[in-house]
């Protein structure tokens, strides 16, 4: 049995998901956003300008629209953050691969107005970059690692209607306390950041003997060569603004036999560790659009 902790696991998944090629399974891109239209903007005291449902679309006139303009001051000079728009040294290639940064949207070409990229789903009630690093799309990857729930004797557990129970690895978010898919931001061509490699080694491999390390890495490599793309596109996230938004590509890695990653002991229920196998049930509530992503994994696996 392997024991992994939260950071090591997240980094491992980001590392592996960069090496693979995928078949596109499902491509139902969101067409409305709502989580980024309500209340105060995160890490600010700014209230979003009200955007009624019929005024979300940029093509609908909204003369009174006057959203607050916010860029989190802590972004300034961060290596993952773009400079300000208007900075003479900042010449972004919108809708393109721009050096190490993908400014391509899965939702198709986005508009540029007065030098600012426009949110492809419409108004959010706040302009500027908010807390996001990039103007335009901010690319994340969300790995959904699944297994069938098993009893101690190894037999599959069954739930209502005698159906097997699918479980996935969830992490508890530090900011909102909600359970979420263990994703992270990615840049194209970045196989893995230096920091991620270091953390991964420190946290996952140090406690193992050399032979165990080699065996463990091999099994995990094989497991992560079988991913399927579940979703790619815009994410309805409370951090999105009129000019910056999150997009993700979600992969499913499924351990049908429960003999590889399915063996990972994740200290079930230990909130201090903040990573565990969670049953996918109809009433499951997760962070942002994660509920929808996880539901499509369930549909796929039950169908097969
Ligand atoms: C927001 O404020 C910045 C800094 O004052 C300014 O450069 C920028 O044009 C403003 N953004 C929008 C979308 O109005
Ligand atoms: C891309 O990233 C690599 C490694 O961090 C760096 O050496 C290189 O200069 C970057 N290229 C561009 C175009 O930013």
């Amino acid at each position: 049995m392997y024991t992994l902790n939260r950071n090591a696991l997240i980094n491992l998944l980001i590392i592996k998901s960069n090496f693979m090629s995928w078949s596109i399974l499902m491509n139902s891109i969101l067409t409305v956003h709502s989580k980024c239209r309500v209340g105060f903007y995160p890490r600010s005291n700014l209230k979003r300008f009200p955007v009624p449902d019929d005024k979300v679309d940029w093509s609908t006139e909204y003369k009174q629209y006057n959203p607050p303009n916010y860029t989190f001051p802590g972004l300034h000079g961060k290596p993952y953050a773009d400079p300000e728009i208007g900075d003479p040294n900042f010449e972004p290639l919108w809708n393109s691969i721009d050096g190490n940064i993908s400014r391509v949207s899965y939702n198709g070409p986005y508009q540029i107005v007065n030098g600012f990229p426009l949110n492809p789903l419409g108004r959010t009630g706040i302009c500027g970059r908010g807390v996001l690093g990039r103007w335009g799309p901010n690319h994340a990857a969300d790995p959904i690692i699944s297994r069938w729930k098993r009893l101690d004797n190894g037999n599959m557990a069954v739930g209502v209607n005698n159906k097997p129970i699918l479980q996935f690895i969830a992490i508890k978010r530090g900011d909102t306390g909600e359970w979420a898919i263990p994703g992270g931001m990615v840049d194209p061509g970045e196989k893995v950041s230096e920091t991620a490699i270091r953390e991964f080694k420190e946290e996952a491999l140090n406690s193992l003997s050399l032979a165990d390390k080699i065996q463990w890495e091999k099994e995990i490599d094989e497991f992560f060569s079988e991913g399927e793309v579940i979703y790619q596109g815009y994410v309805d996230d409370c951090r999105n603004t009129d000019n910056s938004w999150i997009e993700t590509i979600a992969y499913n890695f499924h351990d049908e036999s429960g003999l590889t990653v399915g063996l990972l002991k994740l200290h079930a229920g230990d909130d201090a560790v903040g990573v565990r196998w969670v049953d996918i049930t109809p009433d499951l509530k997760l962070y942002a659009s994660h509920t929808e992503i996880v539901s499509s994994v369930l549909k796929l696996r039950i169908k097969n």
Side-chain angles (χ1 to χ4, degrees):
M1 295 254 183
Y2 306 118
T3 308
L4 264 186
N5 73 18
R6 178 178 181 280
N7 286 340
L9 188 65
I10 294 169
N11 291 328
L12 171 71
L13 300 171
I14 295 168
I15 297 161
K16 294 304 172 196
S17 55
N18 279 318
F19 292 141
M20 304 303 154
S21 63
W22 314 99
S23 61
I24 306 291
L25 182 74
M26 194 190 90
N27 200 357
S28 65
I29 285 189
L30 275 179
T31 52
V32 283
H33 61 192
S34 54
K35 289 178 176 135
C36 58
R37 279 198 283 141
V38 289
F40 287 88
Y41 188 80
R43 296 166 87 175
S44 82
N45 55 8
L46 294 172
K47 201 160 167 45
R48 291 173 184 271
F49 196 91
V51 183
D53 290 351
D54 64 347
K55 295 282 195 299
V56 175
D57 204 294
W58 293 111
S59 62
T60 309
E61 193 177 51
Y62 189 8
K63 283 207 174 99
Q64 303 92 322
Y65 189 58
N66 184 21
N69 176 353
Y70 181 64
T71 295
F72 177 60
L75 286 176
H76 201 76
K78 286 283 182 335
Y80 59 82
D82 284 334
E84 291 312 308
I85 285 180
D87 180 330
N89 298 319
F90 183 45
E91 293 173 2
L93 297 173
W94 302 123
N95 289 301
S96 310
I97 301 289
D98 183 3
N100 287 349
I101 303 156
S102 170
R103 301 194 192 275
V104 178
S105 169
Y106 287 121
N107 290 46
Y110 48 88
Q111 302 177 65
I112 307 300
V113 173
N114 301 326
F116 291 89
L118 280 197
N119 187 313
L121 269 79
R123 298 182 177 97
T124 66
I126 192 154
C127 68
R129 203 181 348 165
V131 296
L132 297 176
R134 303 278 172 218
W135 296 99
N138 287 254
H139 288 285
D142 285 311
I144 302 102
I145 305 106
S146 57
R147 70 174 185 188
W148 298 111
K149 187 173 189 170
R150 284 172 198 273
L151 306 171
D152 287 344
N153 65 11
N155 291 343
M156 301 234 295
V158 289
V160 284
N161 305 329
N162 256 2
K163 289 227 171 83
I165 301 163
L166 196 65
Q167 296 184 308
F168 81 107
I169 296 180
I171 56 147
K172 193 170 191 144
R173 291 183 62 95
D175 51 358
T176 65
E178 289 164 290
W179 290 94
I181 299 165
M185 307 310 291
V186 288
D187 279 336
E190 182 191 53
K191 295 240 163 68
V192 53
S193 76
E194 288 295 313
T195 319
I197 292 176
R198 195 171 54 240
E199 278 182 32
F200 173 69
K201 287 183 178 156
E202 280 172 9
E203 301 189 24
L205 299 178
N206 267 0
S207 59
L208 301 176
S209 70
L210 185 61
D212 279 351
K213 271 181 207 174
I214 292 167
Q215 179 59 23
W216 185 86
E217 284 189 285
K218 189 168 154 277
E219 282 184 26
I220 301 265
D221 277 344
E222 283 165 14
F223 176 72
F224 284 107
S225 65
E226 302 285 320
E228 284 178 85
V229 174
I230 296 297
Y231 175 78
Q232 53 179 15
Y234 186 91
V235 183
D236 187 10
D237 189 288
C238 62
R239 293 167 291 179
N240 294 346
T241 72
D242 286 357
N243 310 119
S244 291
W245 60 92
I246 297 181
E247 298 195 6
T248 198
I249 181 157
Y251 310 100
N252 178 217
F253 303 95
H254 180 63
D255 184 0
E256 182 67 24
S257 66
L259 293 176
T260 57
V261 170
L263 287 178
L264 283 170
K265 271 185 171 176
L266 296 172
H267 306 281
D270 183 349
D271 284 1
V273 176
V275 49
R276 70 178 186 196
W277 290 102
V278 168
D279 295 359
I280 304 177
T281 56
D283 56 352
L284 181 66
K285 291 277 175 294
L286 299 170
Y287 179 77
S289 307
H290 291 182
T291 308
E292 289 82 349
I293 293 173
V294 167
S295 303
S296 46
V297 172
L298 182 64
K299 279 195 208 110
L300 166 75
R301 294 300 158 199
I302 294 281
K303 194 181 65 206
N304 288 357

